[in-house]
Amino acid sequence: MMQLKMMAPSMQMRGFSYKPQKSELPDINVDAFEDESELLKFLRAYHPTYCVVNQQEEMKKYLAQVERKKKYEAEARDAREKGNTAEAESWAKLAEEAGQKAQEHLESSENMIAYENFWLGKINEFREYQKKKNVVVLTPDNFHEIVLDQNKDVLVEFYAPGCGQCKSLVYTKVAEVFKHEEGVVIAKLDTDAHKSLGEKYGVSGFPTLKFFPKDNKTGQEYDGGRNLDEFVSFINEKVGTGRDSKGKLTSKAGIVESLDTLVKELVAASEDEKKAILSRIEEEAGNLKGSTARYGMLYTSLAKQYTENGSGYATKEAKLLGRLISKSTSPLKAEELTLKRNILNTFASS
């Protein structure tokens, strides 16, 4: 992780009400943060009380002081015209003070706007960085470890930096869709920099896309469409995932056909037969790899609970999970609950 520049002591001492000057905005690199919550925590440390309301309040105070300045200047003119020099000087002094306060509020408001733009800019920069980060950059040092991992389904783009079609490919969006799938890897290799790997896999044009499923690491030519929906459909079909083009889980997510067949047998079985079928579910789940291995574990756990709690368990639990999903604030937690609900629906409908 990259080092961050520490806050200046004066900034730390001024406390939570401090409004940072434009020249004191933090000098940071977004790749120093693991997730967006860390970045937000760091930004709030600079200005915890910042909000749009504060900026609007500063503008109100600025306008109020401008009106006072005008009023005091008018009073000073009237006093001079009447020959009241001392009174005129007093009004003029008040007008000068109001003008200074107005300028302070204006600068404060401008600083807040600058910080808002900085804040939003850094968040957007971080999100773009994360999208690119989801695409694994391959080299001769990590190619074997990542691409030939028999527990991973890997899509590789062999590209050249100067290739216009490579730059227009929706590759970072594909990686964004599958970023939470541990068994799916979206990767790319610069074949200008690593010609030997390109030659090894018969790359002659750019971009060349090859799919390396967990059960076949020879590298299958990807000849599907190049828009996002087509990439997503291809990976869902080949890998067994269930995501839409926005990365959301579909009703098919988590479903494994071979295990679904066994679940139907379990639901229809007598009490004496259930134990043997449960063993078959555990065995089948244990043979799964990649993303489907995660689903297999859920099938096994839910099958045990179904056996212990009876036929009404699946329907009740699926409804409960639906309520929890709607209230969940954690995307990863919501995904886990969605997978469970999808699998439980198989039990309930069998």
Side-chain angles (χ1 to χ4, degrees):
M1 184 177 289
M2 298 182 66
Q3 292 294 316
L4 304 177
K5 288 190 175 181
M6 297 299 291
M7 280 190 265
S10 59
M11 182 172 284
Q12 293 174 350
M13 291 173 63
R14 292 180 186 180
F16 291 111
S17 62
Y18 175 60
K19 304 178 183 68
Q21 302 300 304
K22 281 177 277 188
S23 61
E24 294 175 337
L25 290 173
D27 181 13
I28 63 174
N29 293 306
V30 294
D31 58 355
F33 300 89
E34 291 297 325
D35 56 47
E36 192 170 310
S37 63
E38 284 188 13
L39 174 60
L40 288 171
K41 184 178 180 181
F42 180 81
L43 290 169
R44 288 188 183 116
Y46 273 83
H47 195 7
T49 59
Y50 170 75
C51 65
V52 174
V53 174
N54 289 348
Q55 187 268 328
Q56 293 172 342
E57 284 299 314
E58 288 298 307
M59 281 303 297
K60 286 180 182 178
K61 291 175 183 178
Y62 160 72
L63 293 172
Q65 291 297 338
V66 168
E67 289 302 313
R68 286 194 184 96
K69 181 173 181 288
K70 290 179 181 178
K71 177 183 176 181
Y72 296 154
E73 286 174 340
E75 293 288 352
R77 284 194 299 272
D78 288 344
R80 281 195 203 91
E81 288 172 1
K82 294 176 181 177
N84 298 329
T85 304
E87 184 180 344
E89 288 178 355
S90 295
W91 285 117
K93 186 176 181 181
L94 289 173
E96 182 182 355
E97 290 174 355
Q100 290 174 349
K101 289 179 180 178
Q103 186 62 29
E104 288 174 4
H105 289 304
L106 179 61
E107 289 177 0
S108 177
S109 175
E110 289 174 345
N111 288 334
M112 287 181 175
I113 292 172
Y115 196 78
E116 178 188 20
N117 291 336
F118 168 82
W119 178 305
L120 295 176
K122 283 298 175 184
I123 291 173
N124 288 333
E125 184 183 338
F126 178 81
R127 288 173 180 171
E128 288 303 312
Y129 165 73
Q130 286 296 100
K131 288 179 183 178
K132 293 176 182 176
K133 184 181 175 184
N134 292 326
V135 178
V136 177
V137 178
L138 299 171
T139 68
D141 294 331
N142 66 8
F143 191 93
H144 186 280
E145 176 188 355
I146 294 171
V147 178
L148 305 186
D149 184 343
Q150 294 186 338
N151 290 307
K152 306 285 186 183
D153 293 289
V154 187
L155 181 65
V156 178
E157 176 197 6
F158 294 85
Y159 75 99
C163 166
Q165 287 185 323
C166 301
K167 293 176 182 176
S168 63
L169 198 65
V170 293
Y171 216 55
T172 56
K173 292 182 179 179
V174 178
E176 180 75 6
V177 168
F178 293 99
K179 66 182 180 181
H180 294 312
E181 295 288 349
E182 293 182 7
V184 178
V185 178
I186 308 300
K188 65 179 182 179
L189 177 81
D190 180 351
T191 49
D192 276 1
H194 310 295
K195 288 185 172 62
S196 61
L197 277 172
E199 291 171 358
K200 179 178 179 179
Y201 288 97
V203 176
S204 57
F206 307 110
T208 291
L209 292 153
K210 287 184 179 286
F211 183 58
F212 296 80
K214 50 185 173 287
D215 56 356
N216 181 359
K217 293 300 180 178
T218 58
Q220 303 171 4
E221 197 81 22
Y222 173 84
D223 56 4
R226 300 295 176 94
N227 67 41
L228 181 58
D229 287 338
E230 289 167 324
F231 273 118
V232 172
S233 295
F234 172 85
I235 293 173
N236 282 336
E237 180 184 344
K238 295 292 185 180
V239 178
T241 48
R243 292 190 181 272
D244 61 23
S245 58
K246 294 181 180 179
K248 301 292 185 183
L249 292 177
T250 67
S251 59
K252 295 180 180 179
I255 302 302
V256 180
E257 189 175 340
S258 61
L259 289 172
D260 257 18
T261 301
L262 289 172
V263 164
K264 290 173 184 176
E265 288 185 30
L266 181 70
V267 172
S270 65
E271 290 302 316
D272 293 336
E273 295 171 325
K274 278 182 167 51
K275 187 174 181 181
I277 298 172
L278 187 57
S279 295
R280 289 166 60 196
I281 290 174
E282 291 176 341
E283 182 180 356
E284 179 66 23
N287 292 329
L288 299 175
K289 295 181 180 179
S291 294
T292 53
R294 174 190 181 191
Y295 309 154
M297 293 173 65
L298 290 173
Y299 268 94
T300 301
S301 173
L302 293 171
K304 288 178 179 177
Q305 292 179 55
Y306 175 84
T307 304
E308 292 170 2
N309 295 293
S311 58
Y313 163 76
T315 302
K316 291 178 182 178
E317 189 70 7
K319 289 181 179 178
L320 173 60
L321 289 174
R323 292 195 293 272
L324 292 175
I325 291 167
S326 65
K327 296 177 181 179
S328 178
T329 57
S330 167
L332 289 178
K333 183 63 177 177
E335 286 203 351
E336 190 70 16
L337 297 176
T338 300
L339 291 172
K340 286 184 179 179
R341 183 182 63 176
N342 288 351
I343 296 170
L344 278 169
N345 284 335
T346 299
F347 286 85
S349 63
S350 298

